[in-house]
Amino acid sequence: MTAENPTGPLGGHLDDDDYPAYTMGRAAEMLGTTPGFLRAIGEARLITPLRSEGGHRRYSRYQLRIAARARELVDQGTPVEAACRIVILEDQLEEAQRLNAEYRRAAESPAPSTAV
C-alpha cells in the first residue's frame, strides 16, 4: 500500500475532512449529544449528511465540527434553529473576510510589467 495508490476500507480517505466516515450513532457519541440533535440540525439545514447505500446518515469530520459549534450554542441556551442560523452566518462572515483579504493582497501587489 502506497500513498499514491491507497487501499483498504477507507480507500485513502483517512485525512479527508469531507469523507462521510461516521454513522449517526458514532457522531452523536463523539459530540456527546443524541441522534435527535443531529436530526434537528439537519432539518434546520445546518448540515446535510450523506446517505449510505442503505439510507443511513453518514457524517464527515467537517460536519462534526459544525455540529459541535451548534451544540456549544445550544448548551448556552440558544434554541436549535437560532444556533444553526448563527453558525451559518459565522461561516459566511469568515468566508467574506477571507475573500476581502485576498482582494486586498491582490490590489496591494505591484502589477507585473510587460516587456515589449
Side-chain angles (χ1 to χ4, degrees):
M1 175 172 25
T2 65
E4 295 82 30
N5 188 16
T7 60
L10 292 178
H13 297 289
L14 195 56
D15 294 329
D16 185 352
D17 269 358
D18 295 317
Y19 184 72
Y22 303 99
T23 63
M24 177 181 274
R26 180 67 180 129
E29 179 183 318
M30 290 171 67
L31 294 171
T33 188
T34 64
F37 175 78
L38 292 172
R39 281 191 291 276
I41 64 174
E43 289 170 11
R45 298 191 179 173
L46 178 61
I47 58 175
T48 304
L50 290 167
R51 297 283 182 149
S52 68
E53 289 181 17
H56 300 283
R57 291 174 179 90
R58 305 286 294 198
Y59 298 89
S60 69
R61 287 188 298 204
Y62 174 73
Q63 290 173 323
L64 294 184
R65 283 194 300 273
I66 292 172
R69 175 63 182 130
R71 176 154 188 248
E72 288 173 10
L73 292 168
V74 169
D75 287 349
Q76 294 170 5
T78 307
V80 171
E81 297 80 13
C84 291
R85 186 68 182 139
I86 290 168
V87 172
I88 290 168
L89 290 170
E90 287 175 342
D91 191 50
Q92 289 173 346
L93 175 60
E94 184 179 319
E95 178 66 10
Q97 288 173 332
R98 185 190 64 75
L99 288 172
N100 283 341
E102 275 183 31
Y103 293 144
R104 206 171 290 119
R105 280 191 299 276
E108 292 170 356
S109 65
S113 60
T114 55
V116 180

